[in-house]
Amino acid sequence: MSFAHEVKQEVLNANIENECCKLAFLSAVIHSCGELIKRGKDIFVVLKTDMEELFPKVNECLSTLYGEKATIERDEDNNINKLDRFIITLPINVTKRILFDCGIAKFNLDNEFSLWVGLDEHILESECCERSYVKGVFATASTSNIVLNDEKGKNRTFSGYHWEFNFVDERFCDDFSSLLFKLGITNKKSKRKNLFVLYIKEADKVSDLFALVGAYKGLLRLQNEMAIREVRNNINRQNNCLNANITKTVNASLRQVNAINKIQDTIGFESLPANLRELCLVRLANPEESLDNLTKLLSTTITKSGINHQFNRLIKIADKIENNKL
C-alpha cells in the first residue's frame, strides 16, 4: 500500500460530526469522482474510486442525512495498474434530492435539471464544513509520489514532496484552488492531457495539508521522513566537503612534490635558502600531510600562510627551471 493510500485511508476512517459537514463531504466526493447517468426519467449517480474505505463513509453520510444506503461492486473493466477499483451507486430514490442538497444540480417544475460544476458556497457554511469538503476531495481526487523509508531504512529514496489533485472540470479546479488558498494551503495549477492539476511541492505545505484534513499519523510519518532526509543530506554535504578538501590537499601536495623533485634533479637543494631546504625535505618525507601538520614538523615557528608562501616560492623556482630561465 502506498503512502498516499494510507493517508487517504486515515482521513476516511475519521469521524465527521455535524450534518452540515457530512453534506459538504458528500458534495465534494460527488464532484470529485462522481458520474451522472440518465436512463429515461431515472438519474443514477455512481462514484468510481480505488478507495474501498470510501463506501462506509458515504453510507454514514447517507444514513444520517437521508436514511438510505449505497451499494458497491468491483469495477472489473477498469483495473488500472493492477489496483482494485470500485463503483459505489447512490440510492436512486433520493438521488435528485442529494444532487440538489449538495449544490450540484437545480431542478425546474418540469423536473428538468441543470448541473452546477463549480463549488456551491452554500455548502460551506463554516470552517468545519470547508475542512470536510477538502477531506472529501483529498480522499477521492488526490495522489502523491512521496515514498517513505521503511523502519529498517532499506527503501532509501530521493523522491520529492509532491501532492496533487486531479480534476476533469477547470471551473471546479479553480474553485477548489481558491478554497485551499483561503485555508492557507498554497497551490499551483497546470494542465496534463485532459486533466487540470493542482499541486503542492513544498514539504511544509504538504504537512499543513495533512493537518488540515486531520491526517495526523501521516503528518508524523512525513515529518519523521523529513528529519531523516535532512540528517542524511547534512552528512552527505559534510562528506562532500571533506572529500573536496582531501582532493585539494592531495593535488596541492603533488604539485609541491613535483616542484621539489624538479629542483633536486637540476640545481639541487644546496642552491636554496636553509628554510626552503628544510621544507623540501619535510614535504618529501610527508607527502600526504596538510599544511597545518607540516608547520608542526619544521624546526622554526611558521604559520600555515607562511608555509604556503614558501611552497609558492618553490613552485616559481621550478617553473623558471622548466622554462630555462634559471
Side-chain angles (χ1 to χ4, degrees):
M1 184 185 300
S2 68
F3 175 62
H5 193 103
E6 290 178 358
V7 176
K8 291 193 287 184
Q9 186 180 70
E10 180 185 356
V11 171
L12 289 172
N13 288 337
N15 291 328
I16 302 177
E17 299 294 338
N18 304 322
E19 289 188 7
C20 60
C21 294
K22 290 181 178 180
L23 184 63
F25 177 87
L26 189 60
S27 176
V29 168
I30 296 173
H31 262 303
S32 300
C33 69
E35 291 186 14
L36 189 63
I37 302 172
K38 188 175 181 181
R39 294 176 185 169
K41 296 181 179 180
D42 293 330
I43 300 174
F44 297 84
V45 172
V46 296
L47 311 175
K48 294 187 175 182
T49 179
D50 61 348
M51 298 295 300
E52 189 174 8
E53 297 82 3
L54 179 63
F55 180 58
K57 182 57 63 178
V58 167
N59 271 341
E60 176 189 328
C61 296
L62 291 174
S63 178
T64 300
L65 298 170
Y66 304 102
E68 299 284 349
K69 290 187 177 181
T71 59
I72 187 171
E73 60 182 320
R74 291 187 184 276
D75 189 355
E76 303 295 345
D77 298 329
N78 290 293
N79 255 349
I80 302 174
N81 297 327
K82 296 183 179 180
L83 292 175
D84 287 334
R85 293 187 63 82
F86 304 90
I87 299 176
I88 301 171
T89 304
L90 302 189
I92 187 173
N93 58 312
V94 290
T95 293
K96 292 181 180 179
R97 183 179 167 193
I98 292 172
L99 293 175
F100 178 79
D101 292 345
C102 289
I104 297 173
K106 296 181 180 180
F107 296 84
N108 59 23
L109 296 176
D110 297 324
N111 212 24
E112 296 174 340
F113 67 91
S114 58
L115 295 178
W116 175 253
V117 294
L119 203 165
D120 190 341
E121 295 181 356
H122 295 94
I123 297 296
L124 309 178
E125 296 180 350
S126 60
E127 185 174 334
C128 65
C129 295
E130 292 173 339
R131 289 174 179 269
S132 291
Y133 199 94
V134 174
K135 288 180 181 180
V137 178
F138 182 93
T140 54
S142 74
T143 185
S144 174
N145 68 343
I146 299 175
V147 179
L148 303 187
N149 287 286
D150 61 17
E151 293 180 356
K152 297 181 180 179
K154 291 182 179 179
N155 296 332
R156 185 178 180 185
T157 174
F158 297 95
S159 67
Y161 301 102
H162 180 97
W163 202 279
E164 68 179 36
F165 298 85
N166 299 312
F167 305 100
V168 175
D169 185 81
E170 187 174 13
R171 171 64 184 275
F172 183 66
C173 176
D174 292 340
D175 285 356
F176 186 70
S177 174
S178 298
L179 176 59
L180 288 180
F181 272 111
K182 179 182 178 182
L183 296 173
I185 307 298
T186 303
N187 59 88
K188 295 182 179 180
K189 174 185 170 184
S190 66
K191 187 175 182 181
R192 187 183 303 145
K193 295 183 179 179
N194 296 324
L195 293 176
F196 298 94
V197 180
L198 297 180
Y199 62 91
I200 303 166
K201 282 188 173 293
E202 297 84 359
D204 290 341
K205 289 301 180 183
V206 175
S207 296
D208 291 342
L209 177 64
F210 283 10
L212 177 66
V213 297
Y216 299 113
K217 291 181 181 179
L219 175 59
L220 289 175
R221 291 186 63 196
L222 179 64
Q223 291 181 335
N224 182 60
E225 176 72 12
M226 291 164 58
I228 291 173
R229 292 192 192 184
E230 182 63 26
V231 170
R232 188 172 65 207
N233 290 338
N234 286 337
I235 292 174
N236 288 339
R237 282 193 290 267
Q238 292 172 2
N239 287 338
N240 291 338
C241 183
L242 178 61
N243 291 335
N245 288 336
I246 291 174
T247 301
K248 184 178 179 181
T249 299
V250 170
N251 290 338
S253 177
L254 287 174
R255 189 180 181 195
Q256 294 158 7
V257 170
N258 288 337
I260 292 171
N261 288 333
K262 172 71 70 175
I263 294 171
Q264 184 181 26
D265 294 340
T266 52
I267 63 176
F269 292 156
E270 296 78 8
S271 62
L272 299 176
N275 61 334
L276 294 185
R277 280 201 305 272
E278 181 185 15
L279 181 59
C280 289
L281 294 174
V282 170
R283 170 51 89 194
L284 290 177
N286 304 275
E288 297 180 357
E289 292 292 346
S290 65
L291 296 185
D292 283 327
N293 290 337
L294 287 181
T295 61
K296 302 173 185 177
L297 299 175
L298 296 172
S299 59
T300 56
T301 302
I302 189 172
T303 63
K304 178 181 176 181
S305 176
I307 203 172
N308 187 58
H309 176 70
Q310 290 185 358
F311 273 126
N312 287 337
R313 287 180 61 189
L314 291 172
I315 291 171
K316 287 181 179 179
I317 293 172
D319 288 341
K320 288 182 178 180
I321 294 173
E322 183 73 24
N323 296 323
N324 297 319
K325 294 182 178 180
L326 190 65

